[in-house]
Amino acid sequence: MPFSGPVILRLSLAASALSLVVRALPAQAPEAGAGFPEPGAPLKVIDVRWIDTTANACTDFFQYANGAWLAHDTIPAAYPSSGVTRDMSDRNELVVRSVLEDAARERTSYPAASTQRKLGTYYASCMDSTAIESAGITPIRPWLSEIDGITNRRKLIPAIAALQVRGTSVGFDYSAETDPHDADHYVAWLTQGGLGLPDRDYYTRSGPSADSTRQAYAEHIRKLMVLAGRRPADAARDAAAVLDLETEMAKASLTRLEQRDPAALDHPVSRAGLDSLASAVAWSEYFRDIGETVPMPRINVGMPGFVHRMGELLASAPLEQWRAYLRYHLVSTSARWLSTPFVEEDFSFQSRFTGAKALLPRWKRCLRAADASIGEALGEAYVAKTFPPEARARARAVIEDIRAAFGERLRHLAWMSDSTRAQALEKLSRMREKIGYPDHWRDYSKLEMKEGSFALNQARARTFEWQRVVNRPGTPVDTTEWDISMPTVNAYYDPSRNEMVFPAGALVPQTFDPSADDGANYGALGGSWAGHELTHGFDDEGRHFDAAGNLRDWWTAADSLHFTQQADLIARQFDGYLQVDTIHVNGRLTLGENIADFGGVLTGYDALERALERNGRPGLIDGYTPEQRFFLGYAQTWRSHVRDESLRTYVTVDPHAPDKWRAIGPLSNTPAFAKAFNCKPGDPMVRPPELVPQIW
Ligand SMILES: [Zn+2]
C-alpha cells in the first residue's frame, strides 16, 4: 500500500522489562509467577497471573500489568520476540495447519480446478523436502539463463518485468491502488523499491555498525552466488556490483519519515510525463510486459526523484552490474524455498535483523507462505473453525460503541471549529468496518498449481496475484476486498478507503472473548485495537484524507495549527523514551501510531462507560473494578519481549513505538487512569497537565 503509516498498523514489538518495586495494588491478586499456564493453554483477555504485584502501578504500569510474565518468559529460539502476538498466532496456526494438512492429504479427491485442490497441492509441494533437496537450484535455472542472456540494454526492461510478475521485487515497484484524487477508482502507482537491506538508511549511514552490516551483506551475496553456481571470483565481483548499484538506488529513495507525508507521494503524471521523467525507459514495453491490456492514461509516481534516477541507472550502469543485481535478487527471493544450503544462508543473514537463533519448523514456514500468498483460499475453512456468528456480533457491538464514543468527543471538542467538526463527523459516519471475514471470498479459478517444485508453485501464486490486479487502473475500487488474511493477528485502517478491518484471527483471546467482562474487552479490543484503528482516520497522516478517501485538506488553518502543536507534545514525549542500546524512540516516525494509541485509550474508556450504563456494573473481578480492568486489558495487549537485534531493526523501519511505551505513553496522559489506580501528581505515570496533549 503506497501510503505507509496507518495502513501497516499494529505490528507488535516490545521492550525488555526493567523496573521497579514499591507498592502492590491490589492485594487480592495472586503472587507473581504462581500457577503459570502450560504452553498452548487457552489465553484470557486479562490474565492476573501476568501481573507483578510487587510493582507500583503508578510508577510503571507496563511492569505492573506484565512483569510476572516477563520474569518468567524466555523467547523461543526460532522467534524474534514473544508475547501476545506470538501466543495468539501459535494458536491460530494450529487451526490453519489442520486446514492445510487436510487439503494436502485429500487433494486428489477434489476436482482439479477446485480451490481445495490448489491449496493442498501448494502445501504438499512445500512440505516435500525430499524433492526440494534433490532439485537444488534446478527449478529457477531457466530464469537465471534469461538473466545471463541480457547482452544488450533493450533486454533489460523485459527481464525486470518478467521477474516482477513472478514475485521478485527489482528496480522499482508497480502496484494498482486507490487514486488519491478519485477514491472510487484505482490508479497505477510507481514507487521506490528493489533494495536487499531492510531500509535505505542501511546504505547511507556511516559508522562501524553500518559498515559491518554492509560487509555482511556483501559476504551474503557472494555466498549465495557461489551456491547458485558462479565462480568464486565472479561471485565476489557480483557482490560489489550489487552493493554499489543498490547504494545509488538508496540515495535516491525517500526516508520512512518523508514517506509519512501523503502530499510527498502525490505526483500524478500522464504517459508522456512519465516518458520525460525517465526517458531512457521504454515504458510502453514495460507496461506491455507486465500484462497491461488496457492503456493507463495516468500514473501516480510516488517518488519522482527515485524513478528519474532509476531511468539514469538503467541507461548508464554497466550491463554486467545489472545482471549481477537481477541474478542476486532472483536467487535471494527463491532461497528459502530451495535446498538446505540456500535456506541456511538466507536464514543466517536474516537473523542479523531478527535475532532468531533457529529456523521455524518446515510446517510453519510453509503455512506462513500459504497465508501470505494465497491466504483467502484457506480463510473460509479457518473462519468456520474459529469464529461463530455470535463472536462477530459481540465484536461489532464493541466497535460500534467506540464509534459512538468518538462521535461524542468530536461533538464536544472546544478547540475544533464547526466547519472542521462537520466534516470530521461525516468522515466518522462514513467510515466502514469489516469484522471477521469477507462477504465475498476471492476467486482462485485462474490460479495454476502443479505437483512438483514448490519454488515454481510459489512463483505461480505470485503471478496469479499480479495478474489479478495489474489491469485495475481506471476501474472501480472493489470495496469488498480485504488486504489481510483471516488468521492474521493484526488489523488496519486504510485512509484511502476510509475503512477499518479486523480479521477473525485478531478477534480471539487475548484480544477479545465474547464471554469476558466489559472492562477486559473494552480495554483490549476497544482501546488497543478498535479505538486505535478508528483514530488513524484522524491522525497526522489520516486527517489529510476526507470522508470519501480523497486526499484533500478539509481543516481550517486554525484547527490544523492546534492539531499540529498538540501532536508535537506527543512527538516530544516519545522522543524521550529509550528504545534499545542508547537509541531513543523516533517520536516523528511513530507519531501516527502514538496519536492512535492515545485516541484509542480515551474512546475505549468512554465506550466502556456507555457499555456499563447499558449492561450494568459488575462487582470486583479478580479484585479489580471495571475501570481498572479496562487499563489492565489495554496494557496486557502490549505484553511482549523482543530480542535486541529485532528492536534495532524496528528503530529504523517501524512506525510503532516499542510495546512498553505504547502501554505507558498513552496511560500517563489519561486522567481516568490516574483516578482508577489512585495515582498522584508527580507519580511517573501522571504527566504534568501542561504536557498532556489536548487532541481528542
Ligand atoms: Zn496503528
Side-chain angles (χ1 to χ4, degrees), residues 57 78 253 330 395 429 564:
S253 298
L330 169 60
S429 72
T564 307

Side-chain angles (χ1 to χ4, degrees), residues 5-11 490-493 528-529 532-533 536 539 592-594 596-597 655-656 662:
V7 182
I8 311 174
L9 104 100
R10 115 181 257 293
L11 190 75
N490 216 330
Y492 67 88
Y493 171 79
S528 184
W529 288 73
H532 172 98
E533 296 310 334
H536 271 317
D539 73 13
E593 295 301 329
N594 298 330
D597 283 338
H656 301 83
R662 298 186 69 180

Side-chain angles (χ1 to χ4, degrees), residues 298-318:
R298 206 155 53 87
I299 295 104
N300 191 44
V301 181
M303 295 84 176
F306 179 85
V307 171
H308 176 72
R309 181 70 181 128
M310 185 53 67
E312 291 178 342
L313 292 169
L314 284 164
S316 64

